[in-house]
Amino acid sequence: MTTMQDKMKYVPGVITTLTYLLMLGLNIFLILGRKKTSIRLDYLNDFLPEFYLHVSNFSISMLLIIVVGYIWILMGVGIKPLLFLALTVMVVNVIYELFIPVLNTRDITDAWYGVAGSIAGGLYLVLVKQYGVKPAPPVTTTANKTSV
C-alpha cells in the first residue's frame, strides 16, 4: 500500500512552512478586505485606489499556484512544471477577462492583477524549491512481530 509519506520526496523547513501559512493567510485577508472595509489596508488604497476592486484576481491566482505548487514541490516535481503552472494561470486570466464575458465584465485591470498574482506565486515557489525544502528521509518499515 502506498502512503502519502511514500510519495513525499521533500520535506519543508520550519521557515518554509511558516511562510506558506503566512502567504495563505495574507491572501485570504486581502480577499476578505474586498467586502469588509474595516479590515482594509488604507495605504494600499492610497497607492492603488482601485486595489480592492481587483484583489480577488490577484489572490485567487496566487492561492491556486502556491497550493498546487507547494504540494508538487513536496512530491518532487521540477521547476519547469511549476513555472508552466504559473504561465497557464496567467494566460487563463487574460483569456477569461478579455474574451469570456460569462459571469464577468471584460476588464483588463483584473487580468493584470491575475498576472501579478501568478508572478508572485511563481516567484514564491521558485524560492521554496531552491531554498525551502530538503530531501525526505527514507521511509523505514518494521516487520510485524508476534509473540508466542
Side-chain angles (χ1 to χ4, degrees):
M1 175 182 273
T2 304
T3 64
M4 185 63 155
Q5 188 178 13
D6 295 335
K7 293 182 180 181
M8 301 284 283
K9 305 284 189 239
Y10 294 94
V11 293
V14 173
I15 303 267
T16 303
T17 302
L18 292 174
T19 60
Y20 177 70
L21 293 173
L22 181 69
M23 297 294 273
L24 294 177
L26 176 65
N27 277 284
I28 291 168
F29 179 77
L30 290 174
I31 289 173
L32 291 175
R34 183 173 176 177
K35 296 289 182 193
K36 296 182 184 259
T37 56
S38 62
I39 64 169
R40 288 185 179 178
L41 302 173
D42 290 332
Y43 67 88
L44 284 176
N45 267 344
D46 294 341
F47 181 63
L48 300 165
E50 296 182 347
F51 178 78
Y52 282 100
L53 296 176
H54 309 287
V55 71
S56 59
N57 286 60
F58 175 88
S59 292
I60 291 168
S61 297
M62 188 170 179
L63 283 170
L64 176 66
I65 290 168
I66 66 173
V67 168
V68 172
Y70 192 79
I71 294 167
W72 283 3
I73 288 171
L74 298 181
M75 293 175 62
V77 171
I79 200 80
K80 286 183 183 178
L82 296 170
L83 295 176
F84 184 74
L85 172 65
L87 180 63
T88 300
V89 172
M90 281 187 235
V91 169
V92 168
N93 254 295
V94 172
I95 290 171
Y96 182 73
E97 288 298 336
L98 297 182
F99 303 110
I100 306 174
V102 177
L103 298 173
N104 186 38
T105 56
R106 292 184 172 123
D107 186 356
I108 189 66
T109 306
D110 276 346
W112 283 117
Y113 271 77
V115 167
S118 300
I119 291 170
L123 290 174
Y124 174 76
L125 291 179
V126 167
L127 292 172
V128 168
K129 180 74 174 164
Q130 292 293 110
Y131 306 107
V133 293
K134 59 185 177 185
V139 177
T140 58
T141 58
T142 57
N144 290 336
K145 296 182 182 180
T146 58
S147 57
V148 178

